[in-house]
Structure formats: structure tokens, C-alpha cells
Amino acid sequence: MASSSHGHKHSNGLYTFSSRPRPVESSSKCREPSSERTQYNYGNIMYDRRVVRGNTHAQHVLPTTAQPDPAETQKQMIKKRAAARKQAWKQWRLRTPEALQGRKHIDVQTELYLEELSDHIVSTHAECQTDAFLDKPSTPLFIPAKSGKDVGTQIEEGELFDFDREVQPVLEVLVGRTVEQALLEVMEEEELACLKAQQRAFEELRHNELAEVERLQEQERRHSEEKERRVAQQKEVLKKERETAEKIAARAYTQQYLADLIPAVFTSLRNHGYFYDPVEKDIEMNFFPWLMAEVNNTLEKRYIAREMLDAIICDVTEKRLEEFKELDTQSARDWQV
Amino acid sequence: MDSTRAPVAFGRWDVPLLFGRLQQPEAAERLRSLASLCDLMRDPERLYRTVTGGFLEQLQDLLKDEDPSVRSKTCELLHLVTAHSIGRQAVLSSSLLPSLSQLLDDSSSSSRINALRALNCLALLPAGADALLCLVPKLMLKLQQQDGEDEDDGDDGDEEEVLLLSTISCCSRLDALPALASDGVSLLGRKLTRRSPEVRREAAASLMELSIPVEGKRQVCEGAVLPVLVGLLQDEDVDVRTNAAGVVMNVAIITAGKLRCLDLDVVPVLLDLLSKRLEEDERSKALVLYSLRALTALAEAPDGRRLLLQQLPLLARTTEARHPDIRRAAQTAVRVVTWTP
């Protein structure tokens, strides 16, 4: 296995290896021209005889000593030879194709380049064995090789930003807003206080003026009441005077009237007959009615008598009339007959 | 990462995602999402997006949640929402108000306080005060309950009272009748003697609002509130003094008020306040104005006029004050004092 372990940097691909992984090449004992060892002769690792397969518990472990057992070696060599022979035979079966028409195959031997062909294949025995259970050495620090330019940077003390300078506008804004808000609130409060003071002043003025107005009203009322009272008083006085005058007049008049009251009274009484002669009165009262009644009775009797007479006369007359009528009818009947 | 907050998405998806997270069954998850939302809602842009996206309706369910911390966080969120006008309008137009008012009776004090804070912000808007007018009786009831608790409540109790009182005063600014109807005057009179100056200030402010209609003035006169107020005129806190002077100014307009104030000998106190405060800073300007107006009102009564005629030089000095309002008020006062029928 050739392993090219030059520190080959493959710039393409993702990895960089110190030894690039290669697939396992099939080992062919019979080497073809070594320069033509192409890369296509990879054998499938699954079918590689060198890969140990299956349970490895009962297998022969290759002895760790460098010198193999002679019998073992012999056996191996025989096996190898047989295998090689077989392989060679297989190879040689593929002979060169027949010559074309008009040509001939000639065997040529290049004498200069003679090689001794022998069965023995020059082989070197190489073996390798992993070391037994060594501790894995610490991986060396992977320092990738430099690529590109080396550039260094370092943030110095005052370069990134200056806190005091940067914070100033922010601080200004914050403080400004707060102060502004506070000013607004204070102004509002002041405004409210002003309004309240104005209201109070107004209230006081109002009370004042109201009191004044009420006082004046009251005064007016009192004055007018006083006036009314005085006027009423005056009226009273006038009325009294008038009444007094009337009374005096009435008194004078009555006095004068009453002066000739008595004779007038007597006269009128006399006229009404309150002073009467008792005899005369008696005659008038008692005698005359009786007299008249008697006269009436007498007259009534006479009337009754006259009426009776009238009635009798009437009866008689009627009877006579009836009789005359009868006579008339009788005579009329007599005429007709 | 902050374990108490849920992670926030970027850009436009932050609010919808967090609101989607609110539907989850575990309370801890909801709490974290709510915490993040609270942080986000401080920004007006996000708030606008939330409101126009109509996400506020989902908060309705959360307000009725079983977990008290979830409820309290929701209220905090609503409080932040009501800090801006668009949020306030949205809350008013949505149906969140009844649920919010139900939370006022909640067991946990933090949700009560946050709900009160949200209602307070709402009440600063006139439309909001209008909507909250129907709540005024309930708020008065709560005040009464607070009254029933003992005096040394912690800061929480004080804060609740302060918030309740300021809400009531904002609503009463619009229309004081509901508060008057629920016996506001006596209730507020009791609050005037609390320890914390904020409670006193707010109570005095509410009383000032309540004493604007005539009915209120009469009630304040009849109640035993006036002596307390006169005492408050010498309180340490400037605001308390200012508000007390305002109430006195309002009450002194009706005749009964004038008489009672003169009985209580309030004129020297007011003059004292005036003379001390002639060098003005902003806050004592109101005090000076109110005192001047109160004195003007008192000067219409003959007794008051007599008293004040003696003090005319002081008033004349006030006419040279720097501020035009004070000057005007002082001139009116002088005119009234020197008026003869």
C-alpha cells in the first residue's frame, strides 16, 4: 500500500489531509506494467480476501513475533504459489487475438530488455502490525496553515464609542421629556389654581354684590312699606276727618229734625187714629158689625124668598110651555089628518 | 414590573384593552387594571378617548362589585374623570349618578370618600349642581349621621364632612331650598363648633349660601346659630372669619336680623376686623368687603346708625383703600350711615 504522506494541501474540497484517504486497491501478485497501475483496479472491499470476516474469536491471530512459523510460512508460500499460478493461468487464457488477414503475429523478444521470468516472484515480505493499545496521543493542535493576509485588529480604549458623548443626546431627550411633562403638569396645576382663584374672586364678588343688592332691595321694601304705611295713615286721618264732619252734620240735621218731631208725631198719631174716643170705637167695633150682619141676614132671607118665587114662576112657565107645545103638535097632527 | 398594575398596551389600544380586562372574574386582576387606568386617566387625551368611546358604562357594574377595594378604585377613577369638563359632562349624561349616590352608604370609608370627591367635582359645574340637587336631602342625612358619631373621629371622618359640606354648599348656591327644607340651618349650626377648621369653614360657607333666600335668613335668626357665628368672627382661620362675616352680612339685611345682631353686639367686632385688615392681601379682601356690607346693613337700623356715626372716621379711612371694590363698599357704608329720613 503506497501511502503518499506528503502534506498535500488540496485546495479544492472541504478537507485538508495529511494523507488523503484512498480506497483499497486489489492486490494483484502478477503485476502488470507497473506504470499502468491504474486507479480503476479498486476491488470491492466486501469481497477482499484480506478483510477479516465473521466471528473473530477462534481465528488465528497473527503472531506478534516478526518471524513466522516455518511450517506456516511454507504452507502460506504454497498457497500463494498456487493462487498465483491460478491467477496467471486465468490471465494467460486471454490470449492475444488472431492476426488479421495479411498479418502475422511474430513473437519478438526484446533482448535488451530481457527479464528473467521465473516462477518466483520477487516479493518482499512486508508486514505491519498496529501497536498494541497505545494511548491515543493527544491530537496536535490543529493550526491551519495561513491563507490570505494576516490582519490584526484591536479595539482600543476610546475607539468604539465614548459613553459620555453618546449618552448625552439620549439623556437630553429623556430629561427633556420628563421636564416637559412635569412643566405641563405644573402649568396645568397652576392653571387650575388660577381658575380656582378666579372662581373664588368671582364668588366673593357675587356674594358681595348679592348682599348689596339684597340690602338695597330690603331698603326699598322697607321704604316702600314705610311709604305705604304713611299713605295709609294719611288716608286714615282723612277718613276720620270726613267721618267727623259727617257726624257733625248728621248731628245738626237730626237735632233740627227732632226739634219739631213731637208735634209731628202727635199729629201723625192722631191722623192714624191712635187717639180715639172709646165709645165711638166701641160702637164702631161692636155695634156696627152686628147691625150689618143682621141687615145681611134679613136681606138674604128676602133674596131667598125672591129666588124661590122665581123658581116657581119658572117652573110654571116651563110647564105651560110644554103643554102649549103638546097642543101645537096635536093641532098640527090634526091638520095633517 | 409593578405588580399592582396591569400591563398597558401601546398606542390607541391601551384603554380598550384595560377596559376589556375589567370583565374578568378575579378581583385582583380587576384591581390591577383599575390601578393602571387611574394612572392613564390623568392624561387629557386618553380621557377624551375614553369618554368618546363610551367606556364609562362599564364602570356601572363595577360600582356594584362585592370587593370594596374595587369599588373604591372605581370611585377614584370617576374622580379623575370628573376633573375635566368633558368627563363631567359624560358622567352627567350617563346613568352613573344613582349608583354613585348609592355608594355613599357604603361600608368602606375609602369608597365613600372617593365617591364624595367625585360628587364634589361634579357639583362645581352648574349643570352638575343641578343634577345633584335631588341628592341634597340624602347628603344632609349623612351629615346628621356624622354628627351622631363621636367627636374624635379620625381625619377620614373630617374629610367626609368637609366634602359633604362643600357639595352641599355648591348645590345650595344654585338653589338653597332643598337644604333649608331638610333643616339645614340647625345641622350646620352644630357643625360650626367642630374642631377642624376646614369643617368650620365649609359649614360657614354653606350657611352663607343658605342665608341668601329670605327663608334662610329668618331661620338663621330664629335658630341659636347667630351667637356661634359671632363667636366665629374671632376664629383663627381667615376663611372661617370671612365666611362667618358673610353670614352676618346676609342675615343683617332683614330687620329681625339687624335687631338680633345689634343685641349680640356685633358692631365692635366688625369694626375691629376692619381696622386690623386695612392692609390687604387677597384673602382678607373678602373679609373686609363682607364686614363693610354687614356694617352697612346694620347702619340702616337707628341704633346701628347711632353707633356707627361715632365711628365715622374709621369708615372714612377705609374709603381710601386701594382696591376699588373696597372703596365703593366703604362709600356706600358712609352714605348709609349719614342718611337722614
Side-chain angles (χ1 to χ4, degrees):
Chain A
M1 284 307 107
S3 62
S4 56
S5 60
H6 28 266
H8 213 118
K9 192 128 174 255
H10 295 271
S11 50
N12 51 345
L14 297 168
Y15 302 102
T16 53
F17 310 98
S18 56
S19 93
R20 194 191 174 93
R22 291 169 206 275
V24 170
E25 292 168 3
S26 62
S27 75
S28 54
K29 286 287 174 34
C30 185
R31 307 230 168 157
E32 297 272 302
S34 55
S35 58
E36 285 184 5
R37 206 174 350 146
T38 57
Q39 290 181 353
Y40 310 116
N41 268 348
Y42 297 151
N44 197 346
I45 200 171
M46 295 299 287
Y47 297 113
D48 203 339
R49 278 179 300 138
R50 294 168 290 176
V51 174
V52 173
R53 218 158 247 108
N55 198 351
T56 53
H57 279 284
Q59 276 211 359
H60 273 280
V61 174
L62 208 60
T64 50
T65 59
Q67 292 295 90
D69 215 353
E72 280 271 351
T73 325
Q74 196 120 56
K75 257 195 260 173
Q76 276 182 6
M77 286 201 64
I78 293 169
K79 265 198 219 156
K80 271 191 206 162
R81 251 184 242 143
R85 221 177 284 137
K86 204 166 172 216
Q87 181 85 351
W89 200 77
K90 268 201 199 141
Q91 292 256 329
W92 282 117
R93 280 209 14 213
L94 301 168
R95 299 185 63 95
T96 53
E98 292 286 329
L100 288 176
Q101 208 170 35
R103 293 191 194 199
K104 243 171 71 170
H105 285 307
I106 310 174
D107 290 334
V108 168
Q109 187 76 323
T110 50
E111 295 194 350
L112 278 176
Y113 307 107
L114 262 181
E115 261 183 39
E116 190 184 313
L117 300 173
S118 68
D119 285 344
H120 288 280
I121 304 169
V122 174
S123 66
T124 49
H125 201 76
E127 51 178 54
C128 121
Q129 171 68 36
T130 54
D131 295 329
F133 300 138
L134 279 178
D135 286 333
K136 181 167 181 290
S138 59
T139 14
L141 202 57
F142 177 60
I143 296 176
K146 245 173 74 157
S147 74
K149 282 197 338 195
D150 239 352
V151 176
T153 169
Q154 168 71 27
I155 295 175
E156 300 296 330
E157 185 54 49
E159 268 184 25
L160 199 53
F161 66 91
D162 181 11
F163 180 73
D164 293 326
R165 210 168 26 122
E166 297 296 325
V167 87
Q168 202 180 14
V170 176
L171 203 57
E172 269 180 26
V173 167
L174 275 175
V175 171
R177 291 296 294 270
T178 321
V179 168
E180 209 182 292
Q181 183 74 13
L183 271 177
L184 273 176
E185 286 188 12
V186 167
M187 275 201 315
E188 266 189 24
E189 278 181 21
E190 255 184 58
E191 200 180 326
L192 279 175
C194 246
L195 282 175
K196 268 210 161 63
Q198 238 184 3
Q199 265 182 344
R200 268 177 58 135
F202 171 72
E203 279 298 325
E204 287 166 8
L205 206 60
R206 177 175 172 269
H207 280 141
N208 226 1
E209 298 304 321
L210 205 59
E212 184 63 21
V213 159
E214 294 211 343
R215 189 187 66 82
L216 286 173
Q217 254 180 359
E218 192 63 31
Q219 208 184 31
E220 268 307 304
R221 198 181 59 83
R222 270 203 324 266
H223 283 176
S224 65
E225 259 186 42
E226 190 64 31
K227 244 192 296 193
E228 292 267 308
R229 241 182 297 142
R230 297 249 173 108
V231 163
Q233 241 179 9
Q234 273 303 94
K235 277 207 187 117
E236 275 289 317
V237 165
L238 280 177
K239 208 167 80 160
K240 270 205 157 62
E241 275 187 20
R242 221 177 325 126
E243 266 187 29
T244 329
E246 274 182 13
K247 273 189 189 158
I248 294 177
R251 204 180 141 90
Y253 175 68
T254 25
Q255 264 185 347
Q256 181 230 348
Y257 182 69
L258 287 174
D260 55 343
L261 187 64
I262 297 182
V265 162
F266 274 123
T267 326
S268 84
L269 276 178
R270 196 169 296 126
N271 285 343
H272 282 114
Y274 284 102
F275 300 126
Y276 56 85
D277 189 10
V279 174
E280 202 181 335
K281 183 138 188 214
D282 193 32
I283 292 177
E284 279 184 18
M285 291 262 101
N286 298 329
F287 179 64
F288 273 124
W290 173 82
L291 192 64
M292 296 304 294
E294 291 301 313
V295 166
N296 268 341
N297 280 342
T298 322
L299 280 177
E300 255 193 58
K301 280 190 192 135
R302 284 212 185 143
Y303 287 148
I304 289 172
R306 284 191 190 154
E307 270 188 25
M308 269 188 58
L309 194 62
D310 277 337
I312 293 172
I313 295 175
C314 194
D315 272 340
V316 166
T317 325
E318 274 185 8
K319 234 184 225 155
R320 283 217 181 141
L321 186 63
E322 276 182 30
E323 280 178 8
F324 280 135
K325 269 195 185 152
E326 266 191 38
L327 275 178
D328 253 346
T329 46
Q330 226 175 20
S331 68
R333 241 186 293 134
D334 281 339
W335 265 114
Q336 286 193 355
V337 170
Chain B
M1 284 286 286
D2 193 2
S3 67
T4 56
R5 290 187 169 39
V8 174
F10 183 73
R12 276 186 316 145
W13 196 232
D14 48 9
V15 170
L17 188 68
L18 283 172
F19 267 103
R21 279 231 181 89
L22 287 176
Q23 310 290 336
Q24 289 189 357
E26 318 100 38
E29 187 57 45
R30 278 181 290 192
L31 202 57
R32 289 172 62 202
S33 318
L34 279 173
S36 309
L37 271 175
C38 281
D39 282 340
L40 288 180
M41 281 303 132
R42 293 171 203 269
D43 181 19
E45 295 282 322
R46 285 206 187 91
L47 188 67
Y48 175 75
R49 263 188 280 134
T50 317
V51 161
T52 46
F55 290 112
L56 291 179
E57 300 298 326
Q58 292 182 22
L59 294 178
Q60 177 107 338
D61 300 319
L62 283 174
L63 282 174
K64 301 192 179 85
D65 201 83
E66 305 105 21
D67 191 18
S69 46
V70 170
R71 286 197 295 258
S72 119
K73 264 287 176 208
T74 319
C75 290
E76 200 182 314
L77 187 63
L78 276 175
H79 169 55
L80 287 170
V81 165
T82 51
H84 292 266
S85 111
I86 191 167
R88 280 194 285 258
Q89 280 165 5
V91 171
L92 281 177
S93 58
S94 78
S95 51
L96 284 171
L97 273 182
S99 336
L100 204 55
S101 48
Q102 263 172 15
L103 271 179
L104 286 176
D105 296 322
D106 201 65
S107 49
S108 84
S109 76
S110 62
S111 39
R112 274 203 303 260
I113 288 187
N114 281 327
L116 275 174
R117 280 203 196 110
L119 284 176
N120 203 19
C121 279
L122 270 181
L124 290 172
L125 192 66
D130 206 13
L132 287 178
L133 267 182
C134 46
L135 270 182
V136 167
K138 182 160 182 185
L139 292 172
M140 304 293 292
L141 206 63
K142 288 238 73 157
L143 257 187
Q144 237 170 3
Q145 284 169 359
Q146 290 269 329
D147 218 20
E149 297 161 11
D150 42 314
E151 262 288 325
D152 32 33
D153 233 356
D155 287 331
D156 271 0
D158 274 352
E159 194 176 346
E160 272 193 59
E161 281 195 61
V162 170
L163 285 169
L164 274 170
L165 285 168
S166 89
T167 320
I168 290 176
S169 80
C170 290
C171 293
S172 308
R173 202 167 290 155
L174 209 60
D175 184 11
L177 293 177
L180 279 174
S182 5
D183 197 22
V185 172
S186 50
L187 193 55
L188 289 169
R190 282 203 289 273
K191 298 285 175 195
L192 285 173
T193 48
R194 300 285 260 193
R195 265 177 317 153
S196 131
E198 284 99 20
V199 178
R200 286 199 298 256
R201 179 189 72 209
E202 289 297 330
S206 313
L207 262 182
M208 189 158 64
E209 304 292 340
L210 281 186
S211 56
I212 290 180
V214 180
E215 178 60 38
K217 290 200 242 269
R218 245 181 290 135
Q219 274 188 14
V220 172
C221 275
E222 288 157 18
V225 181
L226 266 181
V228 185
L229 278 172
V230 174
L232 275 183
L233 280 173
Q234 283 154 339
D235 198 87
E236 308 121 1
D237 191 31
V238 164
D239 286 327
V240 178
R241 277 198 295 244
T242 317
N243 288 334
V247 183
V248 169
M249 159 182 89
N250 277 330
V251 162
I253 289 179
I254 59 171
T255 331
K258 281 199 248 272
L259 294 172
R260 281 213 66 181
C261 289
L262 285 170
D263 281 338
L264 291 166
D265 204 17
V266 91
V267 172
V269 181
L270 288 172
L271 287 167
D272 197 29
L273 281 174
L274 261 187
S275 58
K276 255 197 293 195
R277 288 280 170 216
L278 276 185
E279 65 289 349
E280 69 253 21
D281 44 336
E282 270 310 304
R283 297 175 66 190
S284 56
K285 169 181 148 218
L287 187 57
V288 171
L289 277 173
Y290 291 163
S291 322
L292 276 174
R293 296 268 183 235
L295 284 172
T296 320
L298 285 174
E300 296 190 343
D303 297 327
R305 191 172 293 129
R306 240 182 310 125
L307 279 172
L308 284 170
L309 271 175
Q310 297 155 9
Q311 303 293 331
L312 211 46
L314 175 61
L315 286 176
R317 225 171 352 118
T318 329
T319 12
E320 282 115 35
R322 260 183 290 155
H323 213 280
D325 291 335
I326 302 188
R327 261 207 302 266
R328 249 186 315 160
Q331 279 164 1
T332 326
V334 169
R335 205 176 42 230
V336 168
V337 167
T338 48
W339 179 78
T340 44

